[in-house]
Amino acid sequence: MHPLISTEDLASALDSADPPVVLDVRWRLGGPPGRQDYEVGHVPGAVHLDLDSELAAPPGAGGRHPLPEPAALQAALRSAGVREGHPVVVYDDADGSVAARAWWLLRWSGHREVAVLDGGFAAWTAEGRPVTADTPSPEPGDITVRPGAMPTLTADEAAGFVRSGALLDARAPERYRGEVEPVDPRAGHIPGALNAPTSGHTSGGRWLGADALAERFAGLGVTGGTPVAAYCGSGVTASSVVLALEVAGVTAADAPAPLYPGSWSEWSNDPTRPAATGDTP
């Protein structure tokens, strides 16, 4: 399944005899809860999953959004109706990065049939497509979470990755440079990392095409032969880098880029780890 699905294709799939499971993962840093927006209106049949409580473990030594425990993730996905081998479509209402986190987690769990809605809820509503406030009651799914199908890095592995490949930082440039740090205890970036802001993956709310994404990564020195990995603030937006690399053809579905789940929220809490500032990696 391609990592992205158009609004047209989702609408057609929802009209089919066996529609995909649709997950609404709208969320905002600092609130209000995405569940409130979901209750006002959502794609018909969509089930809401919360990033903080269902798509991440509680914050702690592993960062602000550690990977969820497999059993907890399995329970959340089953309650949403996710079934083995059955297509899943996920969406948010921002830049697609939270939807990419859900996409990444499903792939990490061993579920390959998953795509992010291109343009998200904003594109869906802008086209006048149907929305509802009705909360569905899906039949429980039977997905089995088998963690590890997507590669990850520890802090030590992220530190060493820059010696052999490109470690991409998905945060905004001002956070990468260390000019501001609104969330984590220290400003800056992992020494040697390159800045690849999530905002550069989309235009007008839609994901860039494969050629445009490939050109963007090539400008960072990342091509098909380059070992590449990603991190961000708390391991969420870096998922969009992994997705964009696959769409661009820089990585393949069976050889995705590793992600550092703890990201800057874990790294910056360890005073023994260095922090670089400015535009220089």
Side-chain angles (χ1 to χ4, degrees):
M1 192 170 184
H2 191 274
L4 298 173
I5 186 172
S6 68
T7 52
E8 294 84 359
D9 286 346
L10 175 58
S12 177
L14 290 177
D15 285 336
S16 69
D18 193 17
V21 171
V22 181
L23 302 179
D24 180 313
V25 295
R26 283 179 279 178
W27 175 86
R28 291 176 189 81
L29 182 64
R35 178 80 191 190
Q36 295 180 8
D37 292 332
Y38 171 82
E39 291 173 348
V40 172
H42 50 265
V43 174
V47 176
H48 182 73
L49 290 182
D50 179 63
L51 170 64
D52 292 320
S53 62
E54 295 174 300
L55 302 180
R64 285 185 282 111
H65 288 111
L67 297 185
E69 290 297 324
L73 178 61
Q74 179 173 290
L77 294 175
R78 286 187 174 186
S79 69
V82 179
R83 311 195 307 270
E84 290 282 356
H86 190 74
V88 177
V89 175
V90 293
Y91 70 84
D92 59 32
D93 63 353
D95 57 10
S97 60
V98 179
R101 164 70 169 222
W103 168 87
W104 188 92
L105 280 174
L106 280 157
R107 290 276 300 271
W108 175 75
S109 301
H111 192 86
R112 297 290 294 268
E113 297 297 308
V114 56
V116 168
L117 179 62
D118 191 10
F121 191 68
W124 183 266
T125 55
E127 295 168 359
R129 300 191 184 276
V131 298
T132 181
D134 295 338
T135 302
S137 298
E139 289 291 325
D142 63 359
I143 184 173
T144 297
V145 169
R146 302 175 180 88
M150 295 287 269
T152 59
L153 300 177
T154 64
D156 286 342
E157 289 168 339
F161 197 90
V162 297
R163 294 193 291 269
S164 59
L167 180 63
L168 303 183
D169 183 322
R171 295 173 302 158
E174 60 270 21
R175 288 186 70 191
Y176 170 84
R177 292 192 296 263
E179 296 168 357
V180 298
E181 182 44 67
V183 186
D184 295 314
R186 286 190 292 154
H189 59 267
I190 296 175
L194 303 169
N195 195 205
T198 299
S199 59
H201 300 152
T202 60
S203 177
R206 305 271 187 165
W207 289 74
L208 299 179
D211 291 344
L213 286 171
E215 181 178 356
R216 178 172 188 251
F217 289 122
L220 293 168
V222 178
T223 61
T226 309
V228 58
Y231 81 98
C232 57
S234 66
V236 174
T237 59
S239 302
S240 70
V241 178
V242 177
L243 188 151
L245 287 163
E246 188 170 314
V247 172
V250 176
T251 60
D254 59 355
L259 181 145
Y260 171 26
S263 286
W264 189 248
S265 62
E266 178 186 42
W267 184 281
S268 62
N269 269 286
D270 183 347
T272 68
R273 297 197 178 277
T277 57
D279 290 316
T280 304

